[in-house]
Amino acid sequence: MNFLQPPTRHLFFTGKGGVGKTSLACASALALAEQGKKVLLISTDPASNVDEVLETPLSDSPPPIPAVPGLQALNIDPEKAAAAYRERVVGPYRGKLPEAVVNSMEEQLSGACTMEIAAFDAFAALLGDAQYTREFDHLIFDTAPTGHTLRLLSLPSAWTGYIETNTSGTSCLGPLEGLTNQKAIYAQALDSLGDGKRTTLILVSRPEAAALKEAARSSGELRELGVTNQHLVVNGLFQALDAEDPVARALEARGRRALTHMPASLRDLPRSERPLRGRPPMGLEGLRILLAEAEPPLEATEPVQTPEGETFETLVDSLGRCGHGAIMTMGKGGVGKTTLAARIAVTLARHGHKVHLTTTDPAAHVEAAVGEIPEGMTIGRVDPALETRRYREEVMASAGKGLDEEGRRLLEEDLRSPCTEEIAVFQAFARTVDQARDQFVVLDTAPTGHTILLLDAAQAYHRELGRQSQGVPEAVEQLLPRLRDPAFTHVVICALPEATPVHEAATLQADLRRAGIEPAGWIVNQALSPLKVSDPILRARQAAEGRWLREILEQHHRRLVVEPWSEIHD
């Protein structure tokens, strides 16, 4: 891996779920430690399995890894960090404001933004505390701060008392208010992130169009914020060992195609490539195999038996029994939500139902996924940029009406925060879901549990303080009960048969349940388990999928559909 020749002191790994961030971070830490370096590996990934990969129980105090002299690792629990962070902000108001208001404030600070800022708080402490880290030659971070986090930190309104008088009820900047003492530490951390002599930011991607597009988006956001010291790693590049295996040939061709059409912004970056291995990168031996030039010969394996009785068709049949309602495909990027949403919509339409399919993903190819549109089906799109602009104008016309020039400037700044788009798109969804009273509305890229909780808390906050200057739209008032009604809304969790996508889907499910929404079932997409394959790498990976399929059924949800790998994948 070229970024290790020679490495900077700080290595930050970033990329969407399931691309191999944790594996590559652990492998890099192992490689440097085995060169005699003293290395500290830090993870703040809520779905992290660093302890599993390194075969050592971890906590927020770094133990040495017994089998690797010079290597220590810690796993910062993002939930615990966010809880401590939340208490720093909300604590001063306890006993001064009504309990319901304090509870509402805590709820508003329970989402993704707070967790990101809390994670950055932990990063900043490590980067800024030279005394704590001086014994280490290298600090390796699994899960880097995103462009989203850095934009939050760059908003001037984050560092003022504006949040105390904000009447829009939509701000995700509350966590920063009252933390002015951290500003200098955060500034030092941001300076370190942008310093190419000290830090390399490693963008990890799979050789797939969606993953490369996401890497390009992240690269652009970070570049705009002054973090230009980037390196691209294309992980899991497949080369068929059995030319007679049609699945292997198709998988290899897809990877080549994705790299040929890679976004232009990634082409100029320094790049490393790692091949797809048959063995999962678990344990120190698995990490060494990931780093090795070639994988040792693989033993013959038997494919796993997939769960019987559940098929895509039986799932759609059960969803169609009510005759109308909202169906949402939810999951992290790259798991196939768009393709699955399109298939659900087309199947329902062919069964004679009236169906509207919609998405908020600007890169979604719903029309291509649908192909020929069946009778009774329509396709729409919620434009996030348009909805956000409309929402900002509404807030400025209502909440900003009585503010002075400085107040309006800060409100405008606050409305440029990343979470504003979540709220705007959510309200657009409310209008769309309202159409599901007499037809099916299939939603690709549905609101997250975080968004639902944020909207719910914002309404409670307004009601408690009596400051509904803007008011809660009627469609949103009706939407939240509808989302919690299993007869009206059916959420389908989408994942891949691998560790990180399954763990991230489980976290998403926990958020939904906390918001009062019970998923209808899971679809594990792009599985090799139902296929006949002869390529030794694919046979080994096929056998490894069984562990994650069993985990879903035993720990997460009793209803599971396993969809086979195909070339059509978003």
Side-chain angles (χ1 to χ4, degrees), residues 26 121 174 188 281 293 323-324 343 366 372 415 451 498 537 560:
C26 290
D121 196 44
Q188 290 174 9
E293 288 301 313
H324 70 95
R343 284 185 60 199
V366 286
E372 185 177 345
L415 288 169
T451 310
E498 299 170 16
I537 291 176
L560 172 63

Side-chain angles (χ1 to χ4, degrees), residues 285-328:
E285 191 55 37
L287 293 176
R288 292 187 181 101
I289 290 171
L290 177 64
L291 292 171
E293 288 301 313
E295 185 169 12
L298 293 159
E299 297 177 2
T301 54
E302 289 300 316
V304 67
Q305 293 298 311
T306 57
E308 295 181 7
E310 283 290 359
T311 66
F312 184 83
E313 288 69 26
T314 59
L315 175 63
V316 176
D317 282 345
S318 69
L319 297 177
R321 283 175 195 149
C322 292
H324 70 95
I327 298 171
M328 301 181 177

Side-chain angles (χ1 to χ4, degrees), residues 434-478:
D434 192 55
Q435 302 172 36
R437 288 175 296 170
D438 59 358
Q439 66 175 333
F440 282 105
V441 174
V442 181
L443 302 150
D444 167 39
T445 317
T448 63
H450 158 55
T451 310
I452 293 162
L453 286 166
L454 185 62
L455 260 293
D456 199 18
Q459 291 180 80
Y461 190 71
H462 279 140
R463 284 192 294 269
E464 180 65 33
L465 297 185
R467 299 192 306 181
Q468 280 184 278
S469 56
Q470 177 187 350
V472 178
E474 184 181 352
V476 173
E477 289 275 20
Q478 295 176 354

Side-chain angles (χ1 to χ4, degrees), residues 506-568:
T507 300
L508 169 62
Q509 178 171 265
D511 282 344
L512 289 169
R513 285 174 170 166
R514 184 163 156 259
I517 299 169
E518 179 59 32
W522 284 46
I523 298 179
V524 164
N525 200 24
Q526 297 290 296
L528 293 169
S529 298
L531 301 174
K532 289 186 177 180
V533 293
S534 55
D535 187 279
I537 291 176
L538 297 188
R539 282 181 62 81
R541 294 187 68 84
Q542 185 183 59
E545 290 178 357
R547 171 181 179 178
W548 309 115
L549 300 180
R550 285 191 295 272
E551 178 181 315
I552 293 167
L553 286 168
E554 292 169 5
Q555 299 180 30
H556 306 312
H557 208 287
R558 65 179 182 276
R559 185 162 206 186
L560 172 63
V561 173
V562 180
E563 280 296 286
W565 184 90
S566 74
E567 294 182 72
I568 302 171

Side-chain angles (χ1 to χ4, degrees), residues 200-322:
T200 305
L201 194 134
I202 297 145
L203 298 159
V204 184
S205 178
R206 290 280 180 95
E208 299 168 3
L212 288 164
K213 197 172 293 183
E214 174 70 12
R217 186 188 63 76
S218 297
S219 174
E221 284 186 349
L222 292 164
R223 198 178 292 117
E224 285 176 8
L225 293 160
V227 183
T228 58
N229 40 314
Q230 302 173 11
H231 186 103
L232 175 66
V233 177
V234 180
N235 189 36
L237 198 58
F238 179 68
Q239 184 171 359
L241 299 180
D242 185 345
E244 301 302 314
D245 185 333
V247 176
R249 290 200 309 271
L251 183 58
E252 181 178 349
R254 189 178 76 173
R256 285 206 199 105
R257 230 174 10 251
L259 292 183
T260 300
H261 300 290
M262 174 191 303
S265 60
L266 297 180
R267 293 184 185 281
D268 296 333
L269 291 179
R271 185 164 109 202
S272 301
E273 295 176 353
R274 298 312 303 159
L276 185 72
R277 300 301 196 193
R279 298 175 178 85
M282 308 297 282
L284 299 179
E285 191 55 37
L287 293 176
R288 292 187 181 101
I289 290 171
L290 177 64
L291 292 171
E293 288 301 313
E295 185 169 12
L298 293 159
E299 297 177 2
T301 54
E302 289 300 316
V304 67
Q305 293 298 311
T306 57
E308 295 181 7
E310 283 290 359
T311 66
F312 184 83
E313 288 69 26
T314 59
L315 175 63
V316 176
D317 282 345
S318 69
L319 297 177
R321 283 175 195 149
C322 292

Side-chain angles (χ1 to χ4, degrees), residues 21-36:
K21 293 189 301 293
T22 297
S23 303
L24 288 167
C26 290
S28 300
L30 175 63
L32 292 171
E34 291 187 336
Q35 292 172 17

